[in-house]
Amino acid sequence: MIQLTGVSRTFTGRSGTVEALRGIDLTVAEGEFVAVVGRSGCGKSTLLRLVAGLLPATDGSVVVGGEQVVRARRDIAMLFQRPALLPWRSVLDNVLLPVEIFGWRRGRHRAKALELLEMVGLGGFEKRLPHELSGGMQQRVSLCRSLIAEPRVMLMDEPFSALDALTREELSVELQRIHMERSATIVFVTHSIDEAILLADRVVVLSPRPGRIRKIVPIDIPRPRSLGRNAHTEQVARCSADLHEVLMEHDAGLGARHRVAPAPAGIGGH
């Protein structure tokens, strides 16, 4: 579904040139959930924007569904850290915003929008305004807005990082359920190792800038998954230890590999 070949991205400005990504080769299968983790500034968000068609690659190619990505596309949705709802529009009207932008018939999608709101636990809130909702509820509305166009690919840039820990875990479980039901292809950027393990089929670890793929860790844990007590606690702990080990290694180009004690599940600031 997604094919990145030799992808690099360099930014040039008044202060000089910054190489954000270098030589990224990555294939994401249809229906796969891939998480991307790494230190702040390693190019995770840049990678998403390249796939979304919001930025051009300096070198290499980005292909989605067999077509080269050269601009933003309707079959690729992107969810950001902040829900960015229009404050004067109701919950339902915010979900239907892409329908209006694409010029589709609102009547045909209204029932679908209500179904999505029901699916994420917001049935009965369709007439509320964003300021009447909690942060977690607003992000659920944003998720419904992303799903209304039935995108083939969903790109998610730390969508839960601004939320409290409990709401973040609840939404992660909700997203896991939606992915299992709808089989969307998802690339999910996060700073949280726990979140990556809970959600992903594979976790891509990027090196410090310029971002390169240091390692891809498969998460072979049966779904549905939970961070609480369950039959897969040992597997979760093993995957977490593997990811911590990779993330805590010094970049190979900076000198000898060095181990440090594992950090908490969140591996750094935004």
Side-chain angles (χ1 to χ4, degrees), residues 25-43:
D25 293 313
L26 177 65
T27 299
V28 180
E30 185 167 4
E32 188 177 17
F33 196 126
V34 170
V36 181
V37 301
R39 297 284 185 178
S40 294
C42 71

Side-chain angles (χ1 to χ4, degrees), residues 15-165:
S15 57
T17 299
V18 174
E19 188 180 13
L21 294 169
R22 179 190 296 173
I24 300 293
D25 293 313
L26 177 65
T27 299
V28 180
E30 185 167 4
E32 188 177 17
F33 196 126
V34 170
V36 181
V37 301
R39 297 284 185 178
S40 294
C42 71
K44 302 185 298 295
S45 295
T46 298
L47 180 64
L48 285 194
R49 283 161 173 75
L50 292 172
V51 178
L54 302 178
L55 284 174
T58 305
D59 292 298
S61 67
V62 180
V63 175
V64 174
E67 298 180 15
Q68 188 88 17
V69 175
V70 294
R71 63 180 64 87
R73 291 171 24 177
R74 295 181 181 181
D75 61 344
I76 303 175
M78 191 155 179
L79 191 67
F80 297 95
Q81 180 176 345
R82 302 286 181 178
L85 303 178
L86 298 180
W88 61 87
R89 293 178 68 111
S90 68
V91 164
L92 180 60
D93 287 340
N94 267 287
V95 174
L96 288 170
L97 183 61
V99 174
E100 297 178 19
I101 293 174
F102 297 148
W104 299 337
R105 291 181 60 181
R106 179 184 171 96
R108 289 186 177 181
H109 291 83
R110 188 177 187 279
K112 181 180 175 183
L114 292 172
E115 177 186 337
L116 287 170
L117 289 170
E118 190 72 37
M119 180 180 68
V120 300
L122 290 179
F125 286 84
E126 59 271 9
K127 295 182 180 179
R128 300 288 185 90
L129 293 174
H131 76 269
E132 299 178 279
L133 307 178
S134 68
M137 294 169 76
Q138 289 183 29
Q139 197 63 298
R140 289 172 191 259
V141 175
S142 184
L143 179 58
C144 290
R145 184 177 59 190
S146 297
L147 290 168
I148 191 71
E150 296 186 349
R152 299 178 69 185
V153 173
M154 291 189 67
L155 307 173
M156 311 183 80
D157 193 0
E158 299 189 67
F160 308 145
S161 62
L163 305 175
D164 64 85

